[in-house]
Structures are given as C-alpha cells and as structure tokens.
Amino acid sequence: MRFSPRTVGIAAAIVTVTIWTSFIVIARATAHRGLTPLDICLLRFAGAALVLLPWGAWLVWQRQKASAGAAAPASWLGLSPLGFRLTALIGMVGGVGYASLAYSGFYFAPAAHASVLLPGTLPLSTTLMAVLILGDRVSRVRAIGLGLIFLGDVMVGGASLLRAWLEPGSEVWKGDLLFLAASSCWAVYSVLVRKHALQAVQATIAISVFAFVTYVPVYALLTLSGALASRLASAPWGEIVFQMVFQGVGSVVISGITFTKMVQHFGPVRSTMITAVVPGLSALGAVMFLGEPLYWNLLAGLALVTAGIVFGVRAQAKPVANAPDLIAGHANPARAKT
C-alpha cells in the first residue's frame, strides 16, 4: 500500500514533533530517577551507534568501491563518510557538546525552561549566526514570524525564569545557562551544516561516529578511576534499554529521517515553523505528566507561537517538490535562504 506525498509529509511532521516534544518531557522526568545526565549521554550515543556505525561503514565501502582506483572521498576510521576535521567539528558541537549540556540542564531546571531555552530560542540563535557568519538576509515576513514565536516562547517561560533567578538559593539558573549553552552548540552546528553543504545522513553518521569513539572511552576511563560518578551499573535493564532506544534510535535516527521527509513536502521554512510548536507542547506535557504548574502566561505563549506559525506558513512560498537534505531542522545552503 502506497501513501500520497501529502500523507507521508503530515505523518512525518507528527512523528518529528512528537519525538522532539517527548525528548524534553522524558529527559526531565528521568533526570532524578537514577541515571546521571552523563549516563544518559552514553546510552544516547550507544543506541545511535548500533544503527549508524554499520550504516556509515557501508556508505564508506560503497564510495571506495565506486571510486574504482581513483582517489576515494574523505572518510574517518572507515566509519564516518566525512574527513576527520569536519567529523570532529560537527561531532563536538552537535553531538557531545549539545547532549552533555542539555541533559545536565534537566538536572537543575524544569521542562518549561527547556521548552523556552532549547527549541524556543533555536530559530533565532541559528538565524543570528547565519547572518553573522554566512551573511544571510532575513526577509521582513520571516522576521515578523520569528518575532511572534520568540514572544510566545518568552511568555511561556519568562515569568518562571525570572522567579527562579530571584529565589534565594535556587539552582535553576544553572540549568538555564546549560540550556542556553546547548542551544548555542546546536546553532553553531546548524551553521556548519549549511556552510559545508552537508547531507543529512552523512552528517548524522559523522556525529554518531565521533561521539561514540571519543565519549565512550573517556566516560569509561573517568568512571573506572572514580573521577566521575555513574549509576549505570545499578540501573534497571529496562531503563537502560529504553534510554538507548528513545534517546539514541528515536531522537537521533528516526527524528532525523522524519524531518527530512517532512521537508520534502512542506519545504524548509514551513517545516521550521511547524516544529516551533514544540516549546508550547512540551510545556503542556510538563504540566500534564510532571505536575509542573499551569500559569496564564503558558496559554498566552501558545497563542503567540501559533500566530507566528500561521503567519509564517501562509506568507512563505509554496512547498517545493524536492527539498534539500536536512539534519535536525536545518537546510542545505543552496536552498536555505528563503
């Protein structure tokens, strides 16, 4: 049974938004249950590596075979389809840096803060870096849409952020700074993807290869020497398997594929606007599943975010038939300046 491109695009959008929203809620829910943030990072990288390392080895082998004696394309360790320098660069910011900072942030701050400071600020920070580094231009229509989304995100978490900063002895601000740092890492990674015109699958594999090859041995060395506390040995097998499947296979592999499918139907700009519902949905999820308080500013923020999405989507060009390769929501530079 074959589905229409519209059906596939809508289904891909639903899966992507669901995984991105669940990432925030689940990461916060498990922050104090047993595993440490760096334990979860290990399981994320290991889960993704189970799928992407064999895939990377196959791609490298296919490229070497196709070169037929000529100079083979750059690769690293026979696993990453990119050279060492580029693999290390995107792997550090998009893999190790983003994951370790984000998961650590959940240890101190609630999910509503992550909703604002991770996906909420990402369109703006990425746009700013693209303007500063790549010389991109932002149209007036896109600026208005981003502005509405930003105001909505501020409404969702602004009051709680201010209250956390003013409370004596509160450590929530540490999580806020970690979330901002993680968002900055992802913004830098996004610009690198555009600058080097990286394909979705190759960039995803390169990140996983670097994270697995570098993070796992360092983590093992530090835990065995006692320099790093780990609760992995005492954690239930069910939790370990769940984190590997959801954080690794779900958040890294599946969401990357579904986002690319979504862009093939909706186009890069509309897809970015669609994923802007994640801050509001994750904040609502925190209220429903984690018992975080519901304030008036949450509802107001959702209304502003929705208005920004509708405005941006209606004002942009029609969907393109063949969208560029994307990785985690950022377009190939050849067609990204929309």
Side-chain angles (χ1 to χ4, degrees):
M1 182 177 180
R2 300 188 64 179
F3 298 99
S4 67
R6 176 179 174 80
T7 301
V8 173
I10 293 175
I14 293 173
V15 172
T16 302
V17 170
T18 300
I19 291 178
W20 286 17
T21 302
S22 301
F23 164 78
I24 293 177
V25 177
I26 291 175
R28 175 59 178 175
T30 58
H32 296 278
R33 290 187 57 182
L35 295 172
T36 69
L38 297 183
D39 291 339
I40 298 176
C41 282
L42 177 75
L43 298 178
R44 174 189 176 95
F45 299 147
L50 290 176
V51 176
L52 295 177
L53 264 63
W55 194 348
W58 181 81
L59 284 180
V60 172
W61 178 76
Q62 286 288 331
R63 289 166 54 181
Q64 292 176 343
K65 181 180 179 181
S67 63
S75 63
W76 184 51
L77 300 178
L79 299 173
S80 171
L82 303 177
F84 168 73
R85 181 178 177 275
L86 195 52
T87 297
L89 196 57
I90 65 173
M92 180 58 68
V93 292
V96 177
Y98 172 79
S100 58
L101 290 169
Y103 289 126
S104 298
F106 285 108
Y107 187 83
F108 297 102
H113 292 222
S115 301
V116 176
L117 300 175
L118 282 177
T121 60
L122 188 59
L124 296 173
S125 58
T126 303
T127 299
L128 178 60
M129 290 198 174
V131 170
L132 296 176
I133 299 175
L134 302 179
D136 276 9
R137 294 181 180 180
V138 180
S139 67
R140 181 178 301 177
V141 169
R142 188 180 179 190
I144 294 174
L146 288 172
L148 289 173
I149 293 171
F150 173 75
L151 289 177
D153 294 339
V154 171
M155 291 297 296
V156 169
S160 58
L161 290 173
L162 179 61
R163 184 167 53 251
W165 277 88
L166 296 177
E167 287 180 359
S170 173
E171 292 188 321
V172 176
W173 62 272
K174 296 180 181 179
D176 296 342
L177 292 180
L178 289 168
F179 289 147
L180 285 173
S183 181
S184 298
C185 280
W186 199 260
V188 172
Y189 163 68
S190 304
V191 173
L192 292 175
V193 168
R194 293 187 52 189
K195 181 179 180 180
H196 296 281
L198 301 180
Q199 297 180 6
V201 172
Q202 292 185 1
T204 306
I205 292 174
I207 285 179
S208 297
V209 170
F210 180 83
F212 185 80
V213 170
T214 59
Y215 185 90
V216 172
V218 172
Y219 171 92
L221 179 62
L222 292 177
T223 52
L224 291 176
S225 65
L228 179 66
S230 174
R231 299 172 188 166
L232 197 60
S234 60
W237 274 105
E239 184 175 0
I240 292 175
V241 172
F242 171 79
Q243 295 290 357
M244 289 182 67
V245 172
F246 178 78
Q247 304 292 355
V249 179
S251 294
V252 178
V253 182
I254 295 179
S255 67
I257 295 173
T258 57
F259 192 93
T260 303
K261 289 293 183 181
M262 179 174 66
V263 171
Q264 289 176 351
H265 178 73
F266 292 105
V269 173
R270 292 189 176 190
S271 297
T272 302
M273 304 298 277
I274 289 171
T275 56
V277 303
V278 172
L281 290 178
S282 56
L284 285 176
V287 172
M288 296 175 58
F289 301 109
L290 305 181
E292 294 187 5
L294 176 64
Y295 296 112
W296 66 268
N297 58 297
L298 175 58
L299 298 177
L302 289 173
L304 283 170
V305 168
T306 302
I309 294 168
V310 172
F311 182 84
V313 169
R314 289 176 64 88
Q316 294 297 331
K318 294 181 179 180
V320 293
N322 295 309
D325 282 332
L326 293 189
I327 174 69
H330 301 287
N332 186 299
R335 299 183 182 177
K337 299 179 181 179
T338 306

